[in-house]
Amino acid sequence: MGAPLLSPGRGAGAAGRRWWMLLAPLLPALLLVRPAGALVEGLYCGTRDCYEVLGVSRSAGKAEIARAYRQLARRYHPDRYRPQPGDEGPGRTPQSAEEAFLLVATAYETLKDEETRKDYDYMLDHPEEYYSHYYHYYSRRLAPKVDVRVVILVSVCAISVFQFFSWWNSYNKAISYLATVPKYRIQATEIAKQQGLLKKAKEKGKNKKSKEEIRDEEENIIKNVIKSKIDIKGGYQKPQICDLLLFQIILAPFHLCSYIVWYCRWIYNFNIKGKEYGEEERLYIIRKSMKMSKSQFDSLEDHQKETFLKRELWIKENYEVYKQEQEEELKKKLANDPRWKRYRRWMKNEGPGRLTFVDD
């Protein structure tokens, strides 16, 4: 018996695979092949030469290009165009005149800018660099018109202004609240009386004031006394210029260098030389253990910080014991709190994930 004949489909498939194996190495080269023509649709003036559109040579200066553009713009402007017998050129109808006007405007925009004109001339001289022309064209076209640095600076300044007025509003609210607390209001009133400030507000004479004006002036005096005598820390402290975002960015290199110097000194003094921690270093370790920011830790009362130092909480074992005690104390408070009891009963009986339907 002779050799079995291959079916047509099987033979065609084998032949196709052989051709694919031969052509596969050539595919990358085939994909990179582009037309060698310098004028590409979608770039600049498309398949038209921008110089020919304006009717100028490649050596023309800016004045000549601008003069040619003005003449053609007046000729092909859609609102002013009037077709004439024997009119030649791209704009023979109002529709084609509008297209010609847009083409002229595109040519002028391309040639009036030195950098864009340089890219266009390079494309005419090197048509084979297809992808490079696309990159340069769209990188300039899509580039932001405003300097990014100016945008960032204006944004940072706006945020800083908002920060300042927001912090100042919070500070004034804190002062207004303290002025209503009897403890601070009485002390401020006594200080104002000793300094004779309240007497000046009640002085009578040519400029006699109404009761409302006197009351408002006394209130402002008390608030000013509280401002001068009370040091508010934390989120309601008096706003400082150096805390704004703009100044933080300006001072960032200084803070970074200061931190590096401080860290190197810490390593040298306490890790290498083995010195004992001072009060400032102990409070820093305690603050880090409690995971509190500097402003939060500074807002604590002095007697609380003294308690931390007496209990030597900078030592890890002592801090763990203190933390456990605080958790146990919090549990006892919650156990005796009637609201917490009601909440636990509700979680046990109802729970957040249950639905109750009332049938009426």
Side-chain angles (χ1 to χ4, degrees):
M1 294 178 65
L5 297 175
L6 294 173
S7 64
R10 187 179 302 176
R17 285 194 294 272
R18 285 196 296 270
W19 278 107
W20 174 255
M21 292 176 64
L22 292 173
L23 292 176
L26 300 177
L27 280 178
L30 293 174
L31 291 174
L32 294 175
V33 172
R34 293 299 183 201
L39 302 177
V40 181
E41 188 67 37
L43 298 183
Y44 304 105
C45 297
T47 56
R48 297 287 305 276
D49 190 333
C50 292
Y51 291 102
E52 292 181 359
V53 171
L54 295 179
V56 297
S57 63
R58 289 186 62 174
S59 60
K62 286 186 176 181
E64 184 179 352
I65 292 173
R67 184 167 55 253
Y69 166 71
R70 286 194 295 269
Q71 292 175 356
L72 294 173
R74 285 195 297 268
R75 180 181 177 184
Y76 294 116
H77 195 282
D79 297 336
R80 304 176 64 178
Y81 176 73
R82 297 293 182 272
Q84 300 177 2
D87 190 11
E88 297 181 356
R92 298 178 181 177
T93 64
Q95 291 78 14
S96 61
E98 183 177 356
E99 295 175 359
F101 177 79
L102 295 176
L103 183 61
V104 169
T106 302
Y108 177 67
E109 290 293 328
T110 301
L111 300 180
K112 75 173 183 177
D113 183 69
E114 290 292 339
E115 297 297 327
T116 308
R117 183 178 180 181
K118 187 184 299 183
D119 290 342
Y120 183 71
D121 290 341
Y122 186 84
M123 185 187 77
L124 295 178
D125 297 334
H126 302 83
E128 69 280 357
E129 299 182 13
Y130 184 82
Y131 295 105
S132 176
H133 302 325
Y134 263 98
Y135 170 75
H136 288 292
Y137 175 75
Y138 284 104
S139 63
R140 292 193 182 279
R141 188 173 182 179
L142 301 178
K145 303 300 181 182
V146 183
D147 192 346
V148 178
R149 293 169 295 183
V150 176
V151 176
I152 294 175
L153 179 60
V154 172
S155 301
V156 170
C157 291
I159 293 173
S160 300
V161 172
F162 176 78
Q163 276 184 327
F164 182 78
F165 284 104
S166 176
W167 290 347
W168 193 262
N169 184 45
S170 299
Y171 175 71
N172 287 331
K173 286 183 177 180
I175 295 297
S176 299
Y177 170 74
L178 292 175
T180 61
V181 178
K183 174 184 175 181
Y184 300 109
R185 186 176 184 86
I186 294 173
Q187 293 180 1
T189 303
E190 293 296 328
I191 294 173
K193 288 180 180 179
Q194 293 174 3
Q195 296 178 356
L197 300 176
L198 294 179
K199 293 181 180 178
K200 294 180 181 179
K202 296 181 179 180
E203 284 182 353
K204 297 180 180 180
K206 297 181 180 180
N207 299 325
K208 188 176 180 180
K209 302 177 183 178
S210 62
K211 292 182 178 180
E212 290 76 11
E213 292 176 343
I214 294 174
R215 185 162 53 250
D216 293 341
E217 189 172 347
E218 289 180 352
E219 190 69 21
N220 292 330
I221 290 172
I222 292 173
K223 289 181 179 179
N224 290 332
V225 172
I226 293 175
K227 288 180 182 180
S228 61
K229 297 298 180 180
I230 293 183
D231 183 20
I232 301 177
K233 296 179 181 179
Y236 292 91
Q237 64 183 1
K238 189 174 182 179
Q240 303 291 333
I241 296 295
C242 59
D243 293 333
L244 299 178
L245 177 62
L246 177 61
F247 290 91
Q248 287 293 313
I249 294 175
I250 295 174
L251 298 175
F254 171 75
H255 291 317
L256 179 61
C257 294
S258 301
Y259 176 77
I260 293 174
V261 172
W262 173 86
Y263 186 75
C264 292
R265 287 181 178 175
W266 183 285
I267 296 296
Y268 176 74
N269 290 328
F270 304 116
N271 291 11
I272 298 176
K273 297 186 69 175
K275 289 185 177 180
E276 291 187 2
Y277 296 125
E279 181 177 335
E280 184 178 352
E281 289 78 16
R282 293 171 179 174
L283 291 175
Y284 172 79
I285 296 174
I286 295 171
R287 178 169 69 84
K288 287 298 181 181
S289 300
M290 293 182 173
K291 298 180 181 180
M292 299 175 67
S293 64
K294 190 174 185 305
S295 59
Q296 290 175 330
F297 194 78
D298 290 342
S299 62
L300 298 177
E301 299 290 340
D302 292 337
H303 67 84
Q304 290 179 291
K305 298 177 182 179
E306 292 176 0
T307 303
F308 297 158
L309 294 174
K310 287 180 180 178
R311 299 195 58 173
E312 299 181 352
L313 297 186
W314 66 88
I315 301 174
K316 186 176 181 180
E317 293 76 11
N318 295 344
Y319 176 74
E320 292 297 333
V321 174
Y322 171 79
K323 184 179 179 181
Q324 189 67 26
E325 291 177 358
Q326 294 297 312
E327 292 176 355
E328 294 295 332
E329 185 177 352
L330 179 61
K331 290 180 181 179
K332 291 180 181 179
K333 288 182 179 180
L334 292 177
N336 297 326
D337 188 356
R339 290 178 297 180
W340 176 249
K341 291 181 179 179
R342 288 196 299 269
Y343 174 74
R344 284 189 299 175
R345 285 197 300 268
W346 177 78
M347 289 292 293
K348 182 179 179 181
N349 299 328
E350 302 293 336
R354 296 190 180 185
L355 294 175
T356 302
F357 295 92
V358 179
D359 297 328
D360 293 334

